[in-house]
Amino acid sequence: MYQYSEFDKQFVRQRAAQFRDQLERNLAGKLGDEEFRPLRLQNGWYVQRHAPMLRVAVPYGEMSSKQIRQLARIAREFDRGYAHFTTRQNVQYNWIPLSQAADVMDLLAEVNMHGIQTSGNCIRNITADAMVGVAEDEIIDARPYCEVLRQWSTLHPEFAFLPRKFKIAVSGAKEDRAATAWHDIGLHLVKNDAGEVGFRVLVGGGMGRTPITGTEINAFVPWQQILVYIEAIVRVYNRYGRRDNMYKARIKILVKAEGQKFFDQVNAEFQNIIERDADGAAHLIPQAEFDRVNASFAFPAAVQAHTASGNGLPADASDADQAQFAKWLERNVAGHKVQGYKNVQLSVKRVGQAPGDATDAQMDAIADIADQFSCGELRVTHDQNVLLPFVREEDLFAVWQAAKAASFASPNIGLLSDMIACPGGDFCALANARSIPIANDLIARYQDLDELYDIGDIDLHISGCINSCGHHHSGHIGILGVDKDGSEWYQVTLGGSDGSNHAPASVAGKVIGPSFAADEVTDVIEAVIDTYRAQRAANEKFIDTVQRVGLDPFKTAANAVRRTTAKAA
């Protein structure tokens, strides 16, 4: 993973010291709350429903065991013993007193972490496929390009106060596991006919009140020019984006309104930067700088291609262990670009604990497993799980045992109980309804592994409000919390997709009727699932059945289980 230089370390330490000064002046009444607000936001500090929330940046999801141990310490000493993995590969805390915020930032800086630009109207944390650099289907390792983008966009003077927040995702694999079409800019690393590396660029994606998937603006931008091209996009957005209405301020609205005119403006701006700006060519990425960054992403010395001698399953393993281990191999283990290695996902989904939540003890356990079996490296996934990127095939049974002891071995990756959810109304000041009780009810309802395996691959996403932090629009089943006269209600959508192999065309789900009461949601989802099982063809996935038969059978089944809403009608 990327090794911070002395400049990088000093930069993070100085930012932490600057924040401490700002916080102390605010607490002393020398810096007003309104003046302090944008300063704390660009360091990742929100004021939420009950307490401040800190969002910690995890660039392109990559983290060391040392870093997650520090996160565990912060959860233990400053929060209530928890942290939360988000859908954009960050880590959040919900109960840290603002008076202790500077101490936390110093602890983060000790391990080269921070909250810079995880909030505010700026270019946010760069995200990627969790298996970036190690995926079996990878065309080009996106990590060095992500790191160059991170360094370029951090504190970029022109883009610190955009019309709204701005998100970039990068993928270098055949399968898009980074949901790139749902970002303000989506970047796909590709090779042209001459074998040269470049980017296919999508622009104007986003969720929220107006879900729109990105549109291709350029099929091939040479990698050396990608910073200039992104700068051109963001300049045009910064110049023409709506600032009079926060609900219409995202770039997706500008792209939709202007269409080809927006594309023409971007391409003209790109040419102007290259040909007319003073030192415009200096914005091209030099080969030497790319090589410097890329060198940090060499595989650990211990990772050597080899022919595996097995997966470690003992000859005398019990029938139960053999059966459970086989299911875990099927769902939680994926191929690797280095012979003899696998990618292993630890499931952070269990009864009684919010999706993506991990205790301090669980984070310490993750660090121990990563140290013992994954060269001290791990990844936060888009689905709010943890990935171990360097597991030897011979160690798989031992990893499974360690994961089982730490409650991370549920063989449910990609299944219904592997849902994603935002913190919702239990924590978020913006939420209209709670997400966590709905998620917990559904996880508890679907604990039978045989039933889950029969249902098969399915993405269920839950958001507590229209801001869509739980990505409900892209769920095969999406659940959105809405407020009606002070009560919690929930819309259900079907047929969404994030663009992964489950359903390669990214699309927003469609609402299947009026909202449901909280006590109806679990029964509604069960009715939808039962309808799928009755309607499906042989070996047909849920999303394919929805696309084939349409929404009407599912609407009928969902409406049939109404209780509270039927009385209200």
Side-chain angles (χ1 to χ4, degrees):
M1 57 185 294
Y2 180 69
Q3 302 301 309
Y4 270 43
S5 66
E6 190 53 43
F7 172 86
D8 296 317
K9 295 175 183 177
Q10 184 179 6
F11 175 86
V12 173
R13 289 194 299 265
Q14 287 178 342
R15 184 61 178 247
Q18 180 191 60
F19 179 74
R20 178 178 290 278
D21 174 69
Q22 294 164 347
L23 175 63
E24 288 176 350
R25 287 189 288 129
N26 172 252
L27 295 176
K30 298 177 181 179
L31 181 66
D33 288 345
E34 284 305 306
E35 290 78 16
F36 181 55
R37 183 175 181 273
L39 303 176
R40 65 170 168 76
L41 283 174
Q42 288 210 356
N43 284 285
W45 287 93
Y46 292 74
V47 173
Q48 290 288 56
R49 187 178 297 274
H50 304 295
M53 183 198 84
L54 168 63
R55 182 177 294 142
V56 181
V58 185
Y60 37 94
E62 197 167 53
M63 197 189 308
S64 70
S65 58
K66 182 179 180 181
Q67 289 174 325
I68 199 168
R69 279 197 180 90
Q70 192 79 320
L71 296 177
R73 177 186 171 185
I74 292 169
R76 185 164 46 247
E77 297 181 7
F78 294 88
D79 200 275
R80 295 185 177 180
Y82 279 87
H84 177 75
F85 301 127
T86 79
T87 56
R88 298 200 72 253
Q89 301 177 299
N90 294 308
V91 175
Q92 291 179 183
Y93 297 96
N94 289 298
W95 294 102
I96 299 175
L98 195 60
S99 60
Q100 298 178 343
D103 296 333
V104 170
M105 301 310 279
D106 286 342
L107 289 174
L108 290 174
E110 285 181 5
V111 293
N112 305 328
M113 299 187 83
H114 54 78
I116 299 171
Q117 293 182 200
T118 57
S119 179
N121 295 334
C122 56
I123 296 176
R124 299 284 188 89
N125 187 43
I126 308 296
T127 60
D129 173 4
M131 289 195 286
V132 60
V134 292
E136 192 172 36
D137 68 335
E138 189 166 73
I139 301 166
I140 301 158
D141 184 353
R143 290 177 299 169
Y145 302 96
C146 289
E147 180 58 28
V148 169
L149 279 168
R150 183 193 71 82
Q151 294 184 20
W152 168 81
S153 62
T154 300
L155 305 189
H156 194 301
E158 189 171 354
F159 306 138
F161 297 98
L162 295 170
R164 281 286 276 129
K165 57 188 177 181
F166 200 91
K167 301 175 181 180
I168 299 174
V170 189
S171 175
K174 293 179 181 178
E175 180 181 5
D176 181 6
R177 291 177 289 267
T180 57
W182 287 107
H183 286 72
D184 298 283
I185 292 178
L187 301 175
H188 288 243
L189 277 156
V190 294
K191 291 183 178 179
N192 63 14
D193 293 340
E196 298 165 324
V197 175
F199 289 89
R200 175 175 174 252
V201 182
L202 308 178
V203 67
M207 296 194 182
R209 295 173 183 274
T210 311
I212 301 174
T213 54
T215 303
E216 181 182 294
I217 186 173
N218 199 312
F220 188 85
V221 176
W223 68 267
Q224 299 92 335
Q225 300 177 359
I226 193 59
L227 298 185
V228 183
Y229 201 81
I230 294 175
E231 177 138 353
I233 291 174
V234 186
R235 278 190 185 184
V236 174
Y237 169 53
N238 205 19
R239 190 178 302 147
Y240 298 111
R242 294 280 297 270
R243 294 179 185 270
D244 61 322
N245 185 332
M246 66 175 293
Y247 302 118
K248 297 182 179 181
R250 295 291 295 271
I251 193 173
K252 63 186 180 182
I253 302 299
L254 182 63
V255 173
K256 183 177 181 181
E258 299 296 329
Q260 187 61 45
K261 182 179 178 181
F262 175 87
F263 295 171
D264 292 343
Q265 292 250 6
V266 168
N267 289 318
E269 186 69 30
F270 172 68
Q271 292 300 323
N272 284 337
I273 296 172
I274 294 290
E275 298 171 3
R276 298 174 58 183
D277 274 20
D279 294 326
H283 295 283
L284 302 180
I285 304 172
Q287 184 68 52
E289 175 62 9
F290 176 82
D291 291 343
R292 180 192 71 82
V293 174
N294 190 42
S296 291
F297 296 104
F299 287 156
V303 177
Q304 299 290 330
H306 65 282
T307 301
S309 57
N311 58 28
L313 178 69
D316 60 351
S318 68
D319 291 344
D321 273 0
Q322 290 185 50
Q324 292 173 27
F325 181 54
K327 286 184 179 294
W328 182 79
L329 289 176
E330 178 186 348
R331 300 306 313 188
N332 295 43
V333 178
H336 200 286
K337 65 167 35 176
V338 179
Q339 183 181 359
Y341 286 80
K342 295 293 185 182
N343 287 289
V344 173
Q345 285 204 54
L346 304 178
S347 177
V348 190
K349 313 289 169 64
R350 60 188 56 77
V351 174
Q353 192 166 314
D357 273 10
T359 67
D360 58 322
Q362 288 167 342
M363 287 187 283
D364 281 335
I366 290 169
D368 291 342
I369 295 170
D371 276 338
Q372 187 174 358
F373 298 110
S374 187
C375 301
E377 293 192 22
L378 57 120
R379 312 280 178 78
V380 179
T381 77
H382 163 66
D383 294 318
Q384 298 175 286
N385 292 310
V386 171
L387 182 130
L388 304 176
F390 295 112
V391 176
R392 290 170 59 91
E393 288 189 43
E394 296 90 338
D395 292 334
L396 285 170
F397 185 77
V399 172
W400 174 67
Q401 289 182 306
K404 186 167 63 168
S407 74
F408 294 126
S410 179
N412 68 335
I413 300 300
L415 300 178
L416 184 63
S417 62
D418 184 30
M419 63 193 67
I420 65 177
C422 70
D426 286 303
F427 300 101
C428 181
L430 300 176
N432 296 316
R434 292 172 296 169
S435 302
I436 294 172
I438 300 297
N440 285 341
D441 285 350
L442 285 166
I443 291 173
R445 176 76 64 95
Y446 287 97
Q447 281 297 295
D448 186 295
L449 281 176
D450 290 335
E451 182 180 19
L452 284 173
Y453 275 67
D454 179 66
I455 295 168
D457 293 305
I458 190 166
D459 292 340
L460 191 150
H461 300 171
I462 308 174
S463 296
C465 76
I466 198 63
N467 288 296
S468 314
C469 293
H471 291 203
H472 67 278
H473 289 301
S474 66
H476 301 161
I477 299 175
I479 301 173
L480 167 64
V482 296
D483 174 75
K484 290 186 178 181
D485 300 323
S487 299
E488 295 177 320
W489 296 68
Y490 296 86
Q491 283 185 352
V492 175
T493 58
L494 298 181
S497 171
D498 60 11
S500 59
N501 280 354
H502 289 317
S506 299
V507 64
K510 295 182 179 180
V511 178
I512 62 169
S515 301
F516 297 91
D519 64 356
E520 296 172 335
V521 174
T522 301
D523 290 338
V524 167
I525 301 307
E526 184 170 329
V528 166
I529 296 299
D530 289 345
T531 302
Y532 154 63
R533 296 169 83 176
Q535 294 275 349
R536 66 186 171 186
N539 301 315
E540 190 173 46
K541 295 179 181 179
F542 175 85
I543 187 67
D544 298 323
T545 300
V546 171
Q547 291 173 350
R548 177 175 59 83
V549 306
L551 299 183
D552 286 345
F554 299 96
K555 287 182 181 179
T556 300
N559 285 325
V561 299
R562 289 184 184 274
R563 296 183 301 276
T564 307
T565 51
K567 295 175 184 176

